[in-house]
């Protein structure tokens, strides 16, 4: 693979992982902290419940961790395939939810496709996974 391809894929992984973590996952983390620490309503639980998942609190926490922690792990390229799997699963559910409600699935679809890329490709290039291999 050319150096330009390695840099481009590393940049895609880094930027998309950070955007997922901080633009989407962090708000869910803040909602969870407010719920557990201050007893505030966490609306994401009802969103998960409306999809039909049993024990919506567990699945809301799982999606939150997949987006925030998974996004950070993708960004740095640590446990890339593992984190990409959980991000892809979460984004597949998000795509489904948007298809069933408001048809605004584009962003979730992009994150899904990007995470599939890194699920199959792994953390090649500039990544912690690659440093560990060496």
């Amino acid at each position: 693979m050319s150096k330009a391809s390695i840099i481009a894929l590393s940049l895609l992984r880094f930027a998309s992982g950070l955007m997922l973590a901080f633009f989407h996952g962090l708000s869910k983390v803040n909602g969870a902290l407010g719920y557990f620490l201050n007893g505030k309503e966490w609306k994401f639980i009802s969103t998960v419940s409306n999809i039909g998942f049993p024990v919506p609190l567990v699945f809301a926490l799982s999606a939150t961790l997949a987006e925030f922690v998974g996004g950070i792990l993708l960004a740095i390229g640590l446990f890339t395939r593992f984190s990409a799997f959980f991000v892809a699963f979460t984004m597949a559910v998000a795509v489904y939810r948007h298809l069933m409600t408001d048809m605004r699935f584009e962003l979730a679809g992009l994150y899904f496709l990007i995470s599939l890329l890194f699920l199959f490709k792994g953390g090649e290039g500039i990544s912690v996974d690659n440093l560990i291999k060496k």
Side-chain angles (χ1 to χ4, degrees), residues 38-110:
N38 300 323
K40 292 182 181 178
E41 179 185 12
W42 187 22
K43 293 181 182 180
F44 187 55
I45 295 173
S46 62
T47 301
V48 172
S49 177
N50 290 338
I51 297 172
F53 280 98
V55 198
L57 175 62
V58 172
F59 284 98
L61 287 171
S62 298
T64 299
L65 289 172
E67 288 184 15
F68 187 70
V69 176
I72 290 171
L73 291 175
L74 271 179
I76 64 173
L78 179 61
F79 309 120
T80 305
R81 290 178 195 255
F82 180 76
S83 56
F85 171 79
F86 287 103
V87 169
F89 183 84
T90 302
M91 291 302 110
V93 172
V95 167
Y96 170 78
R97 178 204 168 262
H98 286 292
L99 286 171
M100 295 297 114
T101 58
D102 58 14
M103 295 302 289
R104 297 178 62 198
F105 62 89
E106 299 89 359
L107 189 56
L110 283 172

